[in-house]
Amino acid sequence: MPLTLYRHRIRDLRLGAPSRLEKDGVLSIDADELRALLLEDGTLAGVDFTVARPGENCRAGPVFDIVEPRAKADGGPDFPGVLGPPQTAGRGSTHVLDGAAVTILRENSPGDSRGPTGYVLEMSGAPAEVSPYGALLHLIVMPRTRPDLPGHARQKAYRLAGLKAAVHLARAGFARPADTVETLEIEAAGGERRGLPRMAYVGQIFSRQRKPEAGEQILYGADTDGMLPVVLHPNEWLDGAVLPSYHTSLGGAETYFYQNHPVIGALYERHRAGELAFVGTVATIASANNFDRERNCSFAANLVKTALGADAAVLTKFGGGVPHTDLAETARLLEKLGVKTAVMVTDLARDHRVESALLFNFPEVDAIVCIGGNDTRWSLPRVERVIASTREMAEVLAGPLEIESLNVVGVANQQGASRLRAMVC
């Protein structure tokens, strides 16, 4: 199941007709053409665009999602189950605009635990230096939904607008030769992989601490309701099968994160280096009660052991404290089955006491990697340029602001993205 990524390095974004990718990496975007495409969705009353560049004294928000421009070149569906039929993702040819992003803004504050600002995108200063999104060129999409839409339909309109815009931009790459070509596959393991440790990844994609919104699309267009753990090829994560939840309070990732999943990328890197055999992944959810937890953790562990035949597994969680329990129980069951585990956790205890952060204590689960916490705050100055969908949100975001790192998109991530790395030799 090879997936070939044709990567085009983008050096600038400009609004102007016609849409095309120049040989020097400048991407022109016909705003009228893109607007007409997005307004085919009758839930939108209007949409505006602008560009934000690295280093610009600029702040945008509240961010709904960030998507890397990607498009299938061989007729396969883009974001299957959402923009196309629910066919298997992760095979064929995909064009990627490296260094670019489509960032979709909400019209209002999401409230919840992210406060009045929601997630903000910082393009300069200390927050931009520690967020991967501070180094990207952003096409900012500001949808205006029909005023009679319920909240869940408004969020679905944001999702569709972002994905459609990302695919539309990436199709400009079809006419240009790629700067680099990369083929991802694990099936070619063959005999040369014998003797290497067989490594799997187990990732939570939602937490049942919340119910999915009506019509929410997380895995191939489904909302995870009633979901049992499922084996996924790593390429399916990277190629549009998995999307983030609408719930900001759960601390979920962005679509860009799944398209560039760092744990899967690191396992692929070591697979190609001949250090291990990457045998696949299991996607699962954190449970809402003990019955579901027992079932899901047991099923996930069994898939890793028997379906993938893994010797070891890396596990990540989704959201706050409860998912730690599912993560740890799955790891405990795997250890019991003879599968070595490493779990990635975050410390969200504000007093930084071990007693506050300790959510599980299984002696056999002893390879624990802390990938950050919630103890960084910034005093952000007023910026020269604010990008928001409404005047009210622009006033909220203009600054100066006192803001937690969790509110700056890309700085904190509970699903495996970190600038920290633990190596055991």
Side-chain angles (χ1 to χ4, degrees):
M1 186 168 159
L3 171 67
T4 300
L5 301 178
Y6 293 83
R7 296 186 178 277
H8 305 268
R9 186 63 190 170
I10 303 303
R11 294 176 172 80
D12 198 10
L13 293 183
R14 296 172 185 168
L15 294 177
S19 293
R20 63 182 176 186
L21 177 59
E22 304 287 355
K23 63 181 180 182
D24 59 359
V26 176
L27 177 66
S28 298
I29 304 162
D30 184 334
D32 291 337
E33 180 183 66
L34 180 56
R35 181 177 293 107
L37 172 67
L38 301 191
L39 292 182
E40 290 176 358
D41 180 357
T43 60
L44 293 184
V47 59
D48 294 312
F49 310 102
T50 190
V51 172
R53 297 179 173 83
E56 187 177 353
N57 193 325
C58 167
R59 178 176 300 137
V63 173
F64 173 76
D65 195 11
I66 298 178
V67 188
E68 185 170 61
R70 294 189 176 204
K72 304 297 291 184
D74 47 11
D78 297 292
F79 299 102
V82 180
L83 296 188
Q87 299 172 1
T88 303
R91 56 165 63 102
S93 302
T94 299
H95 284 252
V96 183
L97 303 188
D98 271 346
V102 171
T103 297
I104 308 96
L105 303 187
R106 299 174 183 270
E107 294 160 276
N108 306 107
S109 168
D112 221 331
S113 58
R114 294 281 70 79
T117 66
Y119 287 117
V120 301
L121 173 68
E122 292 287 319
M123 297 306 294
S124 63
E129 293 175 4
V130 295
S131 167
Y133 302 126
L136 300 180
L137 293 154
H138 294 260
L139 174 70
I140 308 287
V141 179
M142 294 166 280
R144 296 193 303 280
T145 53
R146 285 189 352 232
D148 59 334
L149 283 185
H152 65 85
R154 183 173 296 120
Q155 301 199 78
K156 187 170 184 178
Y158 298 158
R159 163 92 350 113
L160 292 177
L163 299 184
K164 285 182 176 180
V167 172
H168 180 76
L169 264 59
R171 285 177 175 165
F174 291 175
R176 303 294 314 174
D179 293 301
T180 61
V181 179
E182 177 185 24
T183 298
L184 301 170
E185 56 182 334
I186 59 174
E187 290 78 6
E192 72 273 16
R193 298 284 172 188
R194 293 196 186 102
L196 293 176
R198 295 173 60 83
M199 184 71 73
Y201 166 63
V202 182
Q204 296 175 7
I205 61 173
F206 190 66
S207 170
R208 302 299 294 188
Q209 292 165 282
R210 300 286 187 276
K211 284 190 68 66
E213 296 277 4
E216 188 167 357
Q217 297 165 309
I218 296 174
L219 179 62
Y220 283 111
D223 67 1
T224 75
D225 196 14
M227 174 183 166
L228 296 176
V230 59
V231 171
L232 292 183
H233 192 288
N235 292 353
E236 293 178 83
W237 293 77
L238 306 176
D239 204 35
V242 183
L243 295 172
S245 169
Y246 299 159
H247 287 287
T248 57
S249 64
L250 295 174
E254 303 75 40
T255 299
Y256 189 101
F257 164 83
Y258 289 121
Q259 294 170 307
N260 297 274
H261 200 302
V263 175
I264 290 175
L267 290 174
Y268 254 127
E269 183 179 333
R270 299 188 68 177
H271 178 88
R272 286 193 291 257
E275 299 174 6
L276 53 80
F278 187 16
V279 295
T281 81
V282 172
T284 186
I285 56 175
S287 310
N289 57 61
N290 287 337
F291 182 87
D292 286 348
R293 181 167 299 111
E294 180 177 359
R295 178 180 56 193
N296 287 352
C297 295
S298 175
F299 282 20
N302 185 59
L303 289 174
V304 171
K305 175 65 178 180
T306 61
L308 299 179
D311 303 310
V314 178
L315 295 88
T316 61
K317 72 184 189 73
F318 185 104
V322 170
H324 274 90
T325 310
D326 297 67
L327 172 100
E329 176 62 9
T330 305
R332 187 188 70 83
L333 293 171
L334 283 168
E335 294 280 351
K336 191 175 178 181
L337 292 169
V339 179
K340 296 297 184 184
T341 61
V343 299
M344 303 176 75
V345 301
T346 49
D347 171 18
L348 298 181
R350 296 181 187 277
D351 60 5
H352 305 298
R353 298 171 67 242
V354 172
E355 292 83 354
S356 301
L358 194 62
L359 293 170
F360 61 88
N361 183 17
F362 298 140
E364 57 270 55
V365 182
D366 57 1
I368 302 171
V369 181
C370 179
I371 56 174
N374 187 32
D375 58 344
T376 301
R377 292 182 62 87
W378 286 293
S379 298
L380 302 181
R382 190 174 183 85
V383 289
E384 295 174 359
R385 183 182 178 217
V386 180
I387 304 173
S389 292
T390 65
R391 180 177 299 177
E392 291 77 15
M393 284 311 310
E395 291 175 355
V396 170
L397 294 172
L401 291 177
E402 291 287 330
I403 196 166
E404 292 185 346
S405 59
L406 283 177
N407 278 64
V408 180
V409 67
V411 172
N413 179 296
Q414 302 192 56
Q415 293 175 264
S418 176
R419 296 193 303 161
L420 305 176
R421 173 173 287 194
M423 298 292 291
V424 179
C425 301

